[in-house]
Amino acid sequence: MNDELKQAAQRKASFGATMKAVFWSFFGVRKRKDYESDAARLNPVHVIIAGILGAVIFVTVLVSIVKLVVRSAAGA
């Protein structure tokens, strides 16, 4: 099992490709073929980092939208 983790961490997909895969996964619109190729070539460490980064960006955007709506509703 330890060798499998070392091999997975040595995968060569770029961080940009990982971010793209995570972005589309957030929307749930990945083709099975793309999912299988991602699973074979993406570095799991990059996937975790990209997922956390995507979640932070998503929450930040939602909080900003809520603040904007509350501010405009309070001013009206």
Side-chain angles (χ1 to χ4, degrees), residues 10-22 38 41-47 50:
Q10 297 299 321
R11 295 178 184 162
K12 299 291 185 196
S14 70
F15 189 71
T18 304
M19 285 298 294
K20 180 181 172 186
V22 169
D38 288 344
R41 65 184 179 92
L42 293 179
N43 185 329
V45 176
H46 290 171
V47 173

Side-chain angles (χ1 to χ4, degrees), residues 8-73:
Q10 297 299 321
R11 295 178 184 162
K12 299 291 185 196
S14 70
F15 189 71
T18 304
M19 285 298 294
K20 180 181 172 186
V22 169
F23 172 76
W24 286 114
S25 295
F26 265 80
F27 290 106
V29 290
R30 298 292 290 164
K31 295 179 183 175
R32 183 177 180 94
K33 182 182 101 179
D34 292 338
Y35 168 77
E36 290 172 356
S37 77
D38 288 344
R41 65 184 179 92
L42 293 179
N43 185 329
V45 176
H46 290 171
V47 173
I48 292 169
I49 293 169
I52 292 170
L53 183 61
V56 167
I57 291 169
F58 180 72
V59 169
T60 303
V61 167
L62 286 180
V63 168
S64 298
I65 291 170
V66 169
K67 284 184 178 182
L68 180 69
V69 169
V70 168
R71 188 179 320 141
S72 66

